[in-house]
Amino acid sequence: MVGLPIFSIILTLLYLSPSALALKSWYTPPGGTPAGSVAGDKVRGVNLGGWFILENWMMPSFLEDEVLKDTYINDEWVYCSVLGKEECLTRLEKHWDSYITEDDFKRFANYSLNTVRIPMGYWSWTDPEEYEPYIQGQLPYLERALNWSSWYGLDVLMDLHGLPGGQNGQDNQGYKGPIEFQANSTNMERAMDALANMTRFVTQDKFDGVVKAIQLTNEPYILEYNPNGMDFSVLADFYVQGYNTVRANEHILSGSNEVMVVIHDAFQPVLNWKYFWSQESMGLNWTNYALDTHIYDAFGGSMYKTYQEHLDTICAQAAAIAEAQTYFPVIVGEFSLGTNTYCVDYQSCFGITLDQMISNITSSYEANLFMRQFWEVQSNVYELGAGWIFWSVHHELAGPWSWTQSAAQNWLPEDPTEKIWPFDQSASSYCLDTSNPIQGDQNMPYFPTYANNYTNIDISTVTRKYYVNETQTIANSSAVTSTGDSTSASSGNTSTTNNSTSATTSPVSGSTRTLSISMAMIGFAVIGAIALLG
């Protein structure tokens, strides 16, 4: 009679993992409660920003060498224009290979994150025109990241961060300049081609459903917000066509739901979007969708605010987020601990060290404590919606904009559910009671008094959720072969696309994974079970 208990214990031990508990469902049934509405069951994630789209303010030293330092590199367009496609490919492949590693995913799991948002430009998914300097070759590295996401229990939100012609005029769309998406119909056609190819690629069987959501684009500017933006009708048409393109091209695994389609709020109040989803010509008949909103308190005169004023700015968002969440999932897809900007003129940061940049914070316990308070008020308020995704994973100098550095400085807790101060969601100011810690002053956190290297974070106990044979492990960890300009997702031919990424090994399917758990782990589980039974 001991066989069944031993077997049960073995199964329990096999599936024990420090990885995060993923959002239970990224699906909102028609007329049902919006996904992410249950307390504690939230999106808790990090953006892999600066990886597939360069942003100069995040990585000044990347642009400091002899070839580049005398040209102002606004964006990836200029970067590749100056270097030429061959040299650009060589350098970006090194960047793609090293900027995001498996150890990053171990840190995510160690800090109980459950989601990564992966921004990519349209040129990764549809062939650049002759006049466009962009290069391709991103897909093997994306495939590797999707494998890591799966192994460490994280869901993926894919984000088409930049559109042909540009949707916001900023470097994060790939080209800093005019907003020209609306200038011609070709841009819309190319955007739909990119969405179709991205959707087909990331929803293949071999990824086992790790991609749970697809965002149609990032931070579009409309006339109501920016005099150079597009008319709202253009954006609405893009959203409708984009939704239909995702639905027409996604592959739904047996027993699974369709992917969530995410749209950005275009910097309008979140409750305004009730209108969009009430109109038959817009989103009335959509299923499984969500709104992305970005909340930063780092621009304009924010640097002159007191600590309490920063906290109150976030408190003031609570009511609208909570109400909107009753109608549709609201994901705060970008936020940070930054209360001012860093390296906006990236050349002004040449030669500066991380120690110098964060010395004003690390030298003051009060400043460190505010960082933890700023994290806590934001996580509390954003979890009144469906959750949050930190921007961004790395910043080489600005600790408050870097998830890894914020974790290393202990501004972020290892357990995102850990709370130090009481929270009152009905209060529009002082919603975080920083004067009355839940467990008293004696339990205030420790903060390093120096710039702690994030590689010091102990990830030795983090193990993969799924175990594969050693050959497969090596293939996924290090062997990525250049595809150059031949990334074939743009052809719309899924089988051809698969060939372009053959250098990486895809994650095994869910059923195969269970059978592929290492025999060593089974042995340890058996020994442990026998020991427990005496």
Side-chain angles (χ1 to χ4, degrees):
M1 293 298 291
V2 298
L4 184 58
I6 289 177
F7 183 68
S8 298
I9 293 172
I10 290 172
L11 287 180
T12 300
L13 291 173
L14 286 176
Y15 286 95
L16 284 177
S17 169
S19 60
L21 180 65
L23 185 70
K24 288 182 181 177
S25 176
W26 287 78
Y27 179 69
T28 302
T33 301
S37 293
V38 176
D41 183 24
K42 302 292 180 179
V43 173
R44 293 168 175 151
V46 62
N47 281 275
L48 305 190
W51 190 23
F52 291 127
I53 301 181
L54 298 182
E55 296 191 33
N56 58 24
W57 68 284
M58 296 173 67
M59 50 190 73
S61 68
F62 190 71
L63 308 172
E64 197 175 354
D65 71 13
E66 288 299 321
V67 179
L68 298 169
K69 69 178 184 179
D70 293 329
T71 302
Y72 201 86
I73 308 298
N74 268 328
D75 44 46
E76 191 160 329
W77 179 292
V78 177
Y79 180 79
C80 289
S81 295
V82 171
L83 294 174
K85 288 194 174 185
E86 185 175 347
E87 178 64 16
C88 187
L89 174 63
T90 298
R91 294 188 182 210
L92 284 183
E93 283 186 322
K94 291 179 182 177
H95 172 68
W96 297 333
D97 188 49
S98 60
Y99 193 69
I100 300 295
T101 69
E102 185 172 354
D103 278 355
D104 288 315
F105 282 80
K106 290 181 179 180
R107 282 182 276 270
F108 303 158
N110 190 60
Y111 275 69
S112 297
L113 299 185
N114 60 26
T115 302
V116 291
R117 179 174 179 251
I118 305 181
M120 298 184 76
Y122 69 91
W123 57 92
S124 299
W125 299 105
T126 188
D127 287 335
E129 298 287 355
E130 188 174 341
Y131 66 88
E132 295 176 316
Y134 297 126
I135 56 94
Q136 296 182 317
Q138 299 89 343
L139 300 197
Y141 304 90
L142 172 64
E143 180 159 352
R144 192 169 65 174
L146 297 182
N147 293 340
W148 291 333
S149 298
S150 188
W151 291 345
Y152 294 104
L154 288 96
D155 294 327
V156 176
L157 189 164
M158 290 299 305
D159 163 33
L160 193 64
H161 213 66
L163 296 183
Q167 76 279 7
N168 60 33
Q170 302 301 310
D171 59 347
N172 60 60
Q173 67 179 17
Y175 175 75
K176 189 170 185 177
I179 300 171
E180 296 182 329
F181 173 73
Q182 72 278 17
N184 59 66
S185 59
T186 302
N187 287 334
M188 181 74 81
E189 293 167 3
R190 296 181 71 203
M192 292 308 115
D193 189 50
L195 279 171
N197 290 324
M198 183 171 77
T199 301
R200 281 197 293 269
F201 184 84
V202 303
T203 61
Q204 293 177 82
D205 276 333
K206 64 180 179 179
F207 297 125
D208 203 29
V210 72
V211 173
K212 297 296 195 297
I214 291 176
Q215 182 163 348
L216 301 183
T217 198
N218 175 70
E219 295 186 350
Y221 286 178
I222 56 176
L223 287 171
E224 289 82 351
Y225 177 81
N226 186 300
N228 299 312
M230 68 185 80
D231 189 86
F232 178 76
S233 64
V234 176
L235 178 63
D237 184 40
F238 166 74
Y239 281 164
V240 170
Q241 289 194 46
Y243 172 85
N244 291 333
T245 295
V246 170
R247 291 286 175 254
N249 288 279
E250 67 180 319
H251 170 64
I252 303 175
L253 295 176
S254 177
S256 298
N257 297 308
E258 61 195 12
V259 294
M260 178 182 284
V261 174
V262 181
I263 63 173
H264 185 263
D265 65 7
F267 302 101
Q268 302 305 292
V270 290
L271 285 165
N272 283 14
W273 289 89
K274 288 173 59 181
Y275 170 80
F276 179 85
W277 281 304
S278 70
Q279 300 299 304
E280 188 170 1
S281 62
M282 296 183 189
L284 178 62
N285 297 314
W286 287 23
T287 57
N288 200 28
Y289 52 84
L291 187 71
D292 171 33
T293 188
H294 298 171
I295 301 175
Y296 292 116
D297 192 26
F299 304 105
S302 62
M303 67 179 67
Y304 302 109
K305 291 181 178 180
T306 65
Y307 290 159
Q308 186 60 50
E309 286 171 336
H310 284 296
L311 300 179
D312 285 350
T313 297
I314 305 304
C315 293
Q317 306 287 328
I321 290 175
E323 183 180 351
Q325 179 66 30
T326 66
Y327 301 106
F328 42 77
V330 178
I331 301 171
V332 179
E334 292 185 19
F335 77 102
S336 78
L337 300 187
T339 56
N340 57 6
T341 56
Y342 295 78
C343 303
V344 173
D345 175 6
Y346 74 93
Q347 291 182 336
S348 68
C349 288
F350 285 174
I352 294 177
T353 67
L354 179 64
D355 290 282
Q356 292 171 314
M357 290 292 279
I358 67 172
S359 60
N360 290 334
I361 302 174
T362 56
S363 63
S364 162
Y365 187 83
E366 181 185 20
N368 279 290
L369 195 63
F370 166 70
M371 287 295 174
R372 177 62 78 89
Q373 292 168 348
F374 200 40
W375 147 256
E376 192 160 314
V377 73
Q378 290 191 87
S379 62
N380 279 320
V381 169
Y382 304 158
E383 289 193 15
L384 297 175
W388 45 263
I389 308 176
F390 192 101
W391 184 276
S392 181
V393 56
H394 300 306
H395 190 298
E396 66 180 19
L397 294 176
W401 291 83
S402 165
W403 180 88
T404 45
Q405 195 60 43
S406 294
Q409 300 303 143
N410 203 30
W411 301 333
L412 307 177
E414 281 195 19
D415 179 358
T417 67
E418 175 188 305
K419 304 299 180 184
I420 298 175
W421 299 277
F423 172 67
D424 179 2
Q425 73 176 70
S426 65
S428 59
S429 65
Y430 289 88
C431 63
L432 194 71
D433 187 358
T434 58
S435 61
N436 292 295
I438 295 170
Q439 296 185 25
D441 290 336
Q442 71 276 11
N443 290 309
M444 287 294 99
Y446 159 80
F447 304 104
T449 57
Y450 53 90
N452 188 25
N453 193 319
Y454 69 81
T455 60
N456 292 332
I457 296 172
D458 183 10
I459 54 175
S460 61
T461 61
V462 180
T463 57
R464 291 176 175 175
K465 183 177 178 182
Y466 303 111
Y467 292 85
V468 294
N469 64 58
E470 189 63 19
T471 301
Q472 192 172 32
T473 299
I474 293 171
N476 279 279
S477 297
S478 59
V480 178
T481 301
S482 166
T483 60
D485 294 329
S486 63
T487 305
S488 54
S490 59
S491 69
N493 186 323
T494 303
S495 61
T496 305
T497 300
N498 291 345
N499 291 336
S500 74
T501 58
S502 60
T504 58
T505 306
S506 48
V508 287
S509 68
S511 58
T512 308
R513 282 173 172 165
T514 305
L515 298 175
S516 299
I517 297 173
S518 73
M519 294 305 296
M521 290 298 294
I522 294 177
F524 285 128
V526 170
I527 292 170
I530 292 173
L532 286 172
L533 292 171

